[in-house]
Amino acid sequence: MFVKRKVDSELEKLRNEVDGPPNLDMTIVNIQKESSRIHAAYLFEDIGKATLQKLCLLLSATATGKIYDGWQEFATHMGLSIEQIRCIDYDFKGLQDPTYYVLLTYVQSPEATLDKILSALQQIQRLDIINQIKDYVYDLVDAASQHIINQFEIIEPGHIPRAPLVLSPILTVKSNREIKEKTPMYISEDKEKHKQTYGCIVMLTFADDGLPTVECITKIFRSKQPRIGVVILQEQKKHVYSKAEEFIDDCFKQVDYVIPILTRGYIEKINSPMKTYEQMNNNLDTKYLKYIYSLLRYEYMRNQCCNNRVRCIVPDKDVYTIVRANLHPTLQAWFRESDVDGFVSNILFHKI
């Protein structure tokens, strides 16, 4: 025999008044249809900032677990490589939100439309996020649709935000040639003039304890004939404060050599799990040390493990430390500070 369940009429009345869980199936289909021709770069425009902020907040605030997937799974579904995901995790946290960099990487593609973001959220079972951003997306689509020119083309904003070099699409040999043919953005506007002025240009990267060595070798480099141009971030702070990653990327691509100053402090910085952006660094070269380190590792991998441009200098007092350190292959071509004159002769005549 079963005891008849007592029903509280007031409670049942309240239960019936409460809306059930939203049925997002048709909502998602409609949003995807509306947003399939809207380029995701609109997220980085003023009209899309609210959507971008909400999306970053909801994804990055959720730790990956058995119930929810987080930004890393989202990045995988957005087409990022495992190396790019690691770069975001190791080198960019603290400068911007990781989801921000995932989306920044995604929008570099001409086919990067908003509907694919919703598809990725569906695939990682984050319907909760879709439910919370759907109104923002509708508003963004309405605003972007005002710019329709051709009904069959993807609607793009006038400017695609630039991604750091390691998060840009993999360059082909052809695109590398095209980049070399373009006018440099910061170092020089006239390549012929640049060639006449400098024998070569180098970029120094160092930790705080490498500063005395930097001051010494910079004086030597700049006194040589032909001169060796030296890029030091602290000396270019106006550009760095304005557009740090863009400026560093441009310099990195254009210089002839990148010269890390290998000291105990440098080794500690590149091996530290703490992001350099999160530390109190007055020196810009120390602040962006790990970012440049990620660029040179990425170039090494892209060049099929060939190190063509990274040459290190080790202060004599740090030689013992460096010999015992487990260095990445890009840092294994190094010279003593006391041998700097021979080093200069070699880089001027490209004999290294």
Side-chain angles (χ1 to χ4, degrees):
M1 294 180 64
F2 295 97
V3 179
K4 187 176 180 180
R5 184 169 67 91
K6 292 182 179 180
V7 177
D8 188 324
S9 58
E10 290 296 323
L11 185 59
E12 288 299 314
K13 182 180 178 181
L14 289 173
R15 184 180 288 117
N16 292 331
E17 290 176 355
V18 176
D19 294 332
N23 184 354
L24 291 176
D25 292 340
M26 286 307 299
T27 301
I28 293 172
V29 170
N30 290 334
I31 296 177
Q32 288 178 320
K33 182 179 179 181
E34 295 287 335
S35 62
S36 62
R37 290 178 47 245
I38 307 297
H39 197 279
Y42 274 109
L43 289 170
F44 296 87
E45 298 285 305
D46 288 339
I47 61 175
K49 286 292 177 65
T51 311
L52 177 64
Q53 183 184 39
K54 193 73 173 177
L55 188 54
C56 290
L57 182 64
L58 294 172
L59 257 176
S60 298
T62 308
T64 300
K66 293 181 180 179
I67 300 177
Y68 289 116
D69 283 336
W71 72 266
Q72 291 169 317
E73 290 75 19
F74 176 69
T76 300
H77 285 279
M78 295 310 297
L80 274 70
S81 67
I82 187 65
E83 291 82 7
Q84 289 175 322
I85 294 172
R86 286 173 178 167
C87 278
I88 293 173
D89 193 26
Y90 299 156
D91 300 316
F92 295 110
K93 273 186 179 177
L95 189 64
Q96 272 289 2
D97 176 88
T99 303
Y100 175 95
Y101 280 112
V102 172
L103 293 169
L104 184 61
T105 305
Y106 170 63
V107 303
Q108 304 307 305
S109 167
E111 305 298 323
T113 48
L114 286 174
D115 62 309
K116 294 172 185 173
I117 296 176
L118 297 173
S119 296
L121 291 171
Q122 267 188 297
Q123 291 169 11
I124 64 173
Q125 302 297 313
R126 294 308 304 268
L127 301 183
D128 58 309
I129 295 179
I130 295 177
N131 185 45
Q132 293 191 61
I133 68 169
K134 62 181 188 297
D135 292 334
Y136 291 89
V137 176
Y138 273 128
D139 291 342
L140 174 56
V141 170
D142 288 341
S145 297
Q146 306 300 319
H147 302 92
I148 291 180
I149 298 176
N150 187 314
Q151 293 184 355
F152 302 101
E153 292 183 355
I154 294 175
I155 307 167
E156 294 185 5
H159 171 71
I160 303 295
R162 184 168 176 173
L165 179 64
V166 293
L167 301 182
S168 300
I170 301 296
L171 298 174
T172 62
V173 174
K174 180 180 178 181
S175 61
N176 263 322
R177 289 198 194 105
E178 290 172 352
I179 287 175
K180 289 180 180 179
E181 290 171 0
K182 292 181 180 179
T183 302
M185 183 174 179
Y186 291 105
I187 294 178
S188 173
E189 295 181 1
D190 186 344
K191 278 193 171 184
E192 292 304 317
K193 183 178 178 181
H194 150 65
K195 288 179 181 178
Q196 294 171 8
T197 305
Y198 298 105
C200 68
I201 295 181
V202 301
M203 183 179 194
L204 301 184
T205 174
F206 54 93
D208 289 334
D209 61 343
L211 185 58
T213 298
V214 167
E215 292 173 345
C216 177
I217 65 173
T218 298
K219 188 178 295 184
I220 294 172
F221 286 174
R222 289 173 174 167
S223 65
K224 292 293 181 179
Q225 290 298 330
R227 288 190 301 163
I228 298 176
V230 181
V231 177
I232 298 173
L233 296 184
Q234 191 63 33
E235 295 179 348
Q236 304 292 334
K237 56 186 177 182
K238 179 180 177 181
H239 294 305
V240 177
Y241 286 138
S242 175
K243 292 183 178 180
E245 295 160 0
E246 185 173 336
F247 175 72
I248 294 170
D249 287 348
D250 278 338
C251 291
F252 185 86
K253 286 186 287 189
Q254 295 174 42
V255 297
D256 297 295
Y257 292 99
V258 179
I259 303 180
I261 307 301
L262 302 186
T263 58
R264 182 184 297 274
Y266 183 93
I267 300 302
E268 289 174 353
K269 289 289 184 185
I270 62 174
N271 291 327
S272 171
M274 184 178 293
K275 313 301 182 291
T276 53
Y277 310 112
E278 298 172 358
Q279 303 174 23
M280 293 298 294
N281 292 309
N282 294 324
N283 188 290
L284 293 174
D285 295 275
T286 301
K287 182 175 182 178
Y288 291 100
L289 179 154
K290 288 188 75 173
Y291 179 62
I292 297 174
Y293 180 57
S294 70
L295 293 179
L296 60 89
R297 283 182 295 143
Y298 179 75
E299 181 178 81
Y300 177 77
M301 178 189 68
R302 194 186 67 202
N303 289 342
Q304 300 180 332
C305 299
C306 291
N307 176 17
N308 299 320
R309 297 197 304 143
V310 180
R311 299 294 183 267
C312 308
I313 291 179
V314 181
D316 289 24
K317 64 181 179 61
D318 288 300
V319 168
Y320 180 74
T321 300
I322 300 307
V323 168
R324 292 170 57 88
N326 183 20
L327 299 176
H328 186 272
T330 53
L331 303 180
Q332 292 180 7
W334 56 267
F335 299 79
R336 290 173 178 262
E337 182 182 354
S338 55
D339 296 332
V340 69
D341 287 330
F343 176 85
V344 167
S345 299
N346 281 324
I347 64 172
L348 280 175
F349 293 101
H350 302 280
K351 291 182 180 178
I352 294 185

